[in-house]
Amino acid sequence: MGSKNKLKRFNENETFSNVIQPSRQEVEEGFQFKGQWHEHFKNENPIVLELGCGKGEYTVGLARLHPDKNFIGIDIKGARFWRGAKTALQENLENVAFLRTQIELVDLLFEVHEVSEIWITFPDPQIKYKRTKHRMTNEGFLKKYQKILRPGGLVHLKTDSEFMHGYTLGLLHGLGLEVLYANHDVYKNEGSPGEVLGIQTFYENQYLEKQKAITYIQFRVN
């Protein structure tokens, strides 16, 4: 993406009513929407996050399927989720918001038990051992999710990485956390929820063209 195009998208994001772009300092010193998300959406519907939302396809796709829930896509790359934010506005999807910030701050963005579900779609598996702390299903991240999720809230992991799938399953079992469903190839094995099959991201389509298996885990952290 050219620098001019990126700048144009950054500028457009500034005008979008569904895009929130706090500084790290604002988040760390007391984020204004923490504990107030229902006021932002003007309803009491459940709040669902997509972490590392990329272009926002899953955030928007889920919002279309579930108008009775509120969806927030979180990513530091605003030029990417610009597409999702723009589509949501064009389609008058009032249950969508995008938040440009670092994912590791997630427990500062939401109050205890404020979130109902979390989707993690095609994260970087961070295969090298020294990158373990950046894996989005490591024990540190799971503790953050545990803090903000309501009791019984769901976490969904959809990935093309067998390493990420296996690492996460092993960690969940080791911690004694509840795995509700696991599938090593959602397009060949039956049983995955409809939104796992019915929504495909830009990157997922690339993986499918290369005939890579798409895996999925649904689990609870509390």
Side-chain angles (χ1 to χ4, degrees), residues 23-79:
S23 68
R24 189 181 184 103
Q25 182 178 354
E26 288 174 323
V27 173
E28 292 178 340
E29 292 182 354
F31 185 47
Q32 62 173 321
F33 289 103
K34 181 179 180 181
Q36 307 297 324
W37 284 103
H38 288 300
E39 291 185 20
H40 171 77
F41 286 108
K42 297 180 175 61
N43 61 55
E44 294 296 320
N45 294 338
I47 293 171
V48 183
L49 311 182
E50 184 192 2
L51 303 181
C53 66
K55 294 176 181 289
E57 298 107 319
Y58 239 87
T59 300
V60 172
L62 288 169
R64 292 183 185 123
L65 290 173
H66 302 286
D68 58 337
K69 297 180 181 180
N70 300 314
F71 295 88
I72 303 172
I74 303 177
D75 206 301
I76 193 60
K77 296 183 178 179

Side-chain angles (χ1 to χ4, degrees), residues 39-118:
E39 291 185 20
H40 171 77
F41 286 108
K42 297 180 175 61
N43 61 55
E44 294 296 320
N45 294 338
I47 293 171
V48 183
L49 311 182
E50 184 192 2
L51 303 181
C53 66
K55 294 176 181 289
E57 298 107 319
Y58 239 87
T59 300
V60 172
L62 288 169
R64 292 183 185 123
L65 290 173
H66 302 286
D68 58 337
K69 297 180 181 180
N70 300 314
F71 295 88
I72 303 172
I74 303 177
D75 206 301
I76 193 60
K77 296 183 178 179
R80 285 188 183 174
F81 69 57
W82 164 88
R83 179 64 271 171
K86 192 175 184 73
T87 298
L89 290 174
Q90 290 171 336
E91 296 184 14
N92 294 314
L93 295 173
E94 297 182 356
N95 60 331
V96 176
F98 286 92
L99 186 53
R100 182 173 181 260
T101 190
Q102 293 90 347
I103 294 168
E104 62 264 27
L105 302 177
V106 67
D107 57 328
L108 302 179
L109 301 167
F110 301 92
E111 191 54 85
V112 174
H113 300 164
E114 192 173 15
V115 175
S116 293
E117 293 181 56
I118 293 174

Side-chain angles (χ1 to χ4, degrees), residues 8 11 118 126 185:
K8 179 182 177 182
N11 289 336
I118 293 174
Q126 308 287 359
D185 192 337

